[in-house]
């Protein structure tokens, strides 16, 4: 677990939980998207590492990629509503090359750099530490 999290009510009918922990710096925006009818499937604030190279291993092998800026995954049925709300979703592909009717959508909130993360923590009177794992 990393950072500070906040509980968000989601509308995803395929999720067995109706409340999930979301990175706090994007939680209000993710909540708003769900409240307006956008089915969110997952999200990440990027933890201030947008654009940095990462390496990972999964069932398909070893991969090198980059950290995404703050984003949310949505189902394709939410695309038109996202466009109406001023977002620009685009196809998201899993490591096996499938998209599973999922789109990625950049968020308007969140932290692009570690400096942004530190500023968010200061504004919210929360000490900045890595691996806090705190849920608000």
């Amino acid at each position: 677990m990393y950072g500070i999290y906040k509980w968000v009510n989601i509308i995803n009918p395929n999720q067995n939980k109706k409340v999930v922990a979301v990175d706090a710096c994007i939680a209000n925006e993710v909540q708003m998207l769900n409240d307006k009818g956008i089915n969110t499937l997952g999200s990440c604030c990027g933890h201030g590492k947008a654009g940095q190279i990462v390496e990972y291993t999964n069932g398909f092998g070893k991969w090198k990629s980059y950290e995404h800026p703050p984003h949310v995954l949505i189902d394709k049925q939410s695309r038109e509503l996202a466009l109406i709300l001023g977002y620009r979703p685009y196809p998201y592909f899993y490591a096996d090359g499938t998209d599973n009717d999922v789109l990625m959508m950049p968020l308007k909130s969140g932290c692009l750099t570690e400096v942004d993360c530190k500023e968010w923590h200061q504004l919210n009177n929360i000490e900045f530490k890595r691996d806090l794992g705190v849920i608000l």
Side-chain angles (χ1 to χ4, degrees):
M1 200 172 231
Y2 168 87
I4 307 293
Y5 298 90
K6 186 175 176 182
W7 292 109
V8 169
N9 299 311
I10 60 168
I11 61 170
N12 184 347
N14 298 319
Q15 173 74 12
N16 60 356
K17 299 176 189 173
K18 297 303 174 197
V19 179
V20 297
V22 173
D23 295 316
C25 64
I26 61 171
N28 291 342
E29 186 174 6
V30 173
Q31 183 66 70
M32 178 272 302
L33 292 169
N34 279 272
D35 291 347
K36 293 200 180 270
I38 292 181
N39 187 6
T40 61
L41 309 173
S43 63
C44 184
C45 73
H47 309 291
K49 296 183 178 195
Q52 293 182 24
I53 301 294
V54 293
E55 294 182 7
Y56 63 95
T57 303
N58 64 18
F60 299 100
K62 291 184 179 184
W63 301 88
K64 188 181 275 191
S65 185
Y66 65 93
E67 283 290 341
H68 294 283
H71 65 277
V72 66
L73 299 178
I74 66 171
D75 68 18
K76 278 191 179 176
Q77 287 95 6
S78 296
R79 181 182 182 278
E80 292 305 315
L81 180 54
L83 291 169
I84 289 168
L85 294 173
Y87 290 89
R88 306 216 25 212
Y90 55 90
Y92 176 79
F93 292 96
Y94 293 90
D96 65 356
T98 61
D99 70 4
N100 298 327
D101 292 331
V102 173
L103 300 172
M104 180 179 271
M105 186 168 79
L107 293 172
K108 299 172 184 178
S109 59
C111 304
L112 290 173
T113 67
E114 192 168 290
V115 170
D116 294 336
C117 288
K118 289 177 182 177
E119 288 174 359
W120 184 89
H121 280 80
Q122 285 178 330
L123 285 171
N124 291 280
N125 295 318
I126 301 170
E127 184 179 357
F128 179 76
K129 290 183 181 178
R130 290 271 179 216
D131 300 320
L132 285 176
V134 175
I135 297 180
L136 300 176

